Amino acid sequence: MLYDYLIVGAGLYGAVFAHEAAKAGKKCLVVEKRPHIAGNIYTEDVDGIHVHRYGAHIFHTSNEEVWNYVNQFARFNNYINSPVAVYHDELYNLPFNMNTFSKLWNIKTPAEAKAIIQSQIEKLNITEPKNLEEQALSLVGPDVYFKLIKEYTEKQWGRDCKELPAFIIRRLPLRFTYDNNYFNDRYQGIPEEGYTAMVQEMLKDAEVLLNTDYFEFIKGHAGIAKKTIYTGNIDAFFNFCYGPLAYRSVRFETERIDDCDNYQGNAVVNYTSHEQPFTRIIEHKHFNFGKQPFTIISREYSAEWKPGMEPYYPVNDATNAELYAKYKALADQRDDVIFGGRLGAYKYYDMDKVIAEALNFAAQEL
Ligand code: FAD
Ligand code: UDP
């Protein structure tokens, strides 16, 4: 055998594991089907602007070990994500906080905001929220739900809010202070040189083959490594034998605007009504406080995944959880292949969770 590990996917999970394995003296080969490393956190340098090709990526964590870990590979800036939401001709701050409530109801104090939300929630009589709609309504009441959540969520997931799990909306902070920070985490930022440079640093001691699909590659290279670490989608690995898992895919319409240096005044603007077919517009330069005389924006359109598309978000509803459990049972019978990362574990993981998962596995394995 030529390698200790064959790592499928040069995304964050694959790169962290490759780094740890190389440090432990193991020989790794990484195969990546795309023409570049870094998976979905890939950033492309376009005349000094780091374009987040697969959507806005803001690193945030409360896990000190993970924060120290990533800081070995990159210097992070002090970007704080504070998206703005547009609902028809109204504009609100996110996440749901005193700035949002003050604009909605023309009030000033937390007591006033709490009283309004409380009076709206009481009428609903929801004791145990069973789905995203009930969870959202019972947290923030109908005013916020109908203007800032319902239609955005339907665009994002292509499903009725009653059919989605409650945990999705619990990702968002709700606070009664004038604080527009989208995350509650202790640490936050974006690599100053872009995510691709960070992942490059992680992979510096591994061999990487780009434009290489594992399923093609393995036909001619069976037995090339003692173990495989697979970070692609788990259903594809088992040839969709129980049928495909559901994913949401995303299409980005990216535009360079040469005669404009500041298109929307913020890195992320969410469009929360059905009026616009896209969910959000990202203006990439603001992630790095760019001063270029031009700008680059991406409109983000969400779509149901079909074969041939990139899977982005696992759809963690009850049907797919059941289907995933069947694939997981197959995976557990394989001690020659380990399944990891967002697609391998079919979990809506943020970057810090993916790193923690890869480090935990590396600690057991190496
Ligand atoms: P991936 O990055 O998907 O890497 C898997 C790699 O495997 C890919 O490069 C793929 O091409 C390759 N691969 C798959 N199949 C094969 C095959 N058969 N052969 C060869 N290669 C293969 N997280 C945050 O913390 N903050 C954010 O702001 C944030 N924003 C996000 C926005 C969007 C639109 C999305 C979709 C995700 C966001 N995330 C965010 C989550 C973040 O992208 C993931 O946590 C992280 O990228 C997962 O890394 P991974 O290695 O598991 O997967
Ligand atoms: N969400 C919403 N309105 C918004 C932003 C988010 O209703 O303006 C909901 C939506 O259901 C989304 C979830 O909150 O899927 C999580 O949002 P987040 O921004 O964390 O999603 P991601 O960046 O992972 O797409």
Side-chain angles (χ1 to χ4, degrees):
M1 297 214 187
L2 282 172
Y3 296 94
D4 294 299
Y5 294 101
L6 173 63
I7 299 173
V8 181
L12 199 48
Y13 189 99
V16 168
F17 184 80
H19 180 81
E20 293 304 298
K23 220 167 62 185
K26 306 289 182 190
K27 222 175 150 215
C28 299
L29 176 66
V30 183
V31 291
E32 168 56 58
K33 67 177 177 185
R34 294 179 186 173
H36 58 73
I37 59 163
N40 284 349
I41 66 174
Y42 174 67
T43 45
E44 184 184 0
D45 188 336
V46 180
D47 296 335
I49 297 181
H50 296 145
V51 175
H52 294 217
R53 276 285 167 219
Y54 303 91
H57 278 83
I58 300 103
F59 196 91
H60 57 97
T61 191
S62 294
N63 183 329
E64 192 153 350
E65 188 194 339
V66 167
W67 180 244
N68 291 336
Y69 188 77
V70 290
N71 275 273
Q72 300 172 69
F73 306 104
R75 195 180 136 100
F76 280 72
N77 70 15
N78 59 342
Y79 176 83
I80 299 285
N81 199 32
S82 312
V84 165
V86 174
Y87 180 76
H88 298 291
D89 57 354
E90 299 164 25
L91 196 138
Y92 296 98
N93 288 109
L94 290 174
F96 314 125
N97 74 87
M98 282 308 295
N99 290 301
T100 328
F101 307 139
S102 157
K103 183 91 179 264
L104 261 173
W105 300 312
N106 194 24
I107 47 120
K108 290 194 186 65
T109 68
E112 288 171 298
K114 283 181 182 169
I116 293 175
I117 291 176
Q118 195 51 38
S119 76
Q120 295 191 354
I121 291 175
E122 266 165 18
K123 296 184 194 120
L124 303 167
N125 243 330
I126 301 171
T127 42
E128 248 183 65
K130 289 187 294 296
N131 52 51
L132 193 152
E133 175 167 293
E134 291 189 2
Q135 177 71 78
L137 282 169
S138 62
L139 277 176
V140 286
D143 281 359
V144 174
Y145 175 67
F146 286 108
K147 287 191 169 180
L148 299 178
I149 298 175
K150 185 178 190 302
E151 294 174 43
Y152 182 92
T153 300
E154 284 169 3
K155 285 198 285 187
Q156 163 76 16
W157 294 97
R159 282 161 176 77
D160 192 284
C161 292
K162 291 191 203 66
E163 283 157 26
L164 288 164
F167 82 85
I168 293 180
I169 201 66
R170 289 198 297 264
R171 286 170 59 88
L172 303 193
L174 161 66
R175 54 173 95 92
F176 292 90
T177 51
Y178 286 91
D179 176 0
N180 295 328
N181 186 343
Y182 201 56
F183 304 112
N184 279 329
D185 285 318
R186 174 86 166 76
Y187 306 105
Q188 189 173 165
I190 292 183
E192 284 181 346
E193 303 304 320
Y195 287 99
T196 311
M198 177 178 93
V199 174
Q200 183 70 61
E201 201 48 37
M202 291 174 171
L203 286 171
K204 72 175 191 304
D205 296 317
E207 278 176 60
V208 181
L209 293 177
L210 298 176
N211 298 303
T212 305
D213 184 273
Y214 165 73
F215 300 109
E216 286 303 314
F217 177 81
I218 203 65
K219 284 181 196 161
H221 298 87
I224 192 170
K226 292 181 194 144
K227 222 174 202 176
T228 299
I229 312 297
Y230 177 85
T231 73
N233 34 330
I234 187 167
D235 50 354
F237 185 89
F238 294 108
N239 204 16
F240 305 101
C241 64
Y242 298 126
L245 286 159
Y247 300 89
R248 290 299 282 174
S249 194
V250 188
R251 181 171 64 81
F252 298 97
E253 209 176 75
T254 297
E255 193 185 331
R256 174 178 172 138
I257 312 175
D258 279 312
D259 58 0
C260 172
D261 69 342
N262 188 2
Y263 177 78
Q264 61 184 15
N266 207 29
V268 183
V269 178
N270 290 3
Y271 286 82
T272 60
S273 92
H274 281 306
E275 195 183 355
Q276 294 84 6
F278 43 85
T279 48
R280 46 190 172 192
I281 301 183
I282 311 165
E283 186 168 12
H284 301 271
K285 69 191 306 179
H286 296 308
F287 289 123
N288 249 357
F289 317 113
K291 299 276 184 290
Q292 298 80 359
F294 65 97
T295 194
I296 299 176
I297 60 164
S298 298
R299 294 183 187 82
E300 195 170 317
Y301 296 83
S302 184
E304 196 67 10
W305 176 86
K306 292 194 191 67
M309 290 165 111
E310 284 292 342
Y312 282 82
Y313 295 91
V315 179
N316 291 120
D317 60 10
T319 317
N320 286 291
E322 230 171 82
L323 188 53
Y324 169 70
K326 288 166 76 176
Y327 283 115
K328 173 85 170 64
L330 288 183
D332 288 343
Q333 290 166 23
R334 299 285 299 257
D335 50 15
D336 56 332
V337 186
I338 301 302
F339 295 80
R342 209 182 219 208
L343 301 171
Y346 197 64
K347 289 209 177 68
Y348 190 0
Y349 277 147
D350 281 329
M351 289 181 270
D352 62 328
K353 301 290 180 309
V354 167
I355 293 170
E357 193 205 16
L359 288 176
N360 274 342
F361 170 65
Q364 288 165 34
E365 173 74 15
L366 298 166

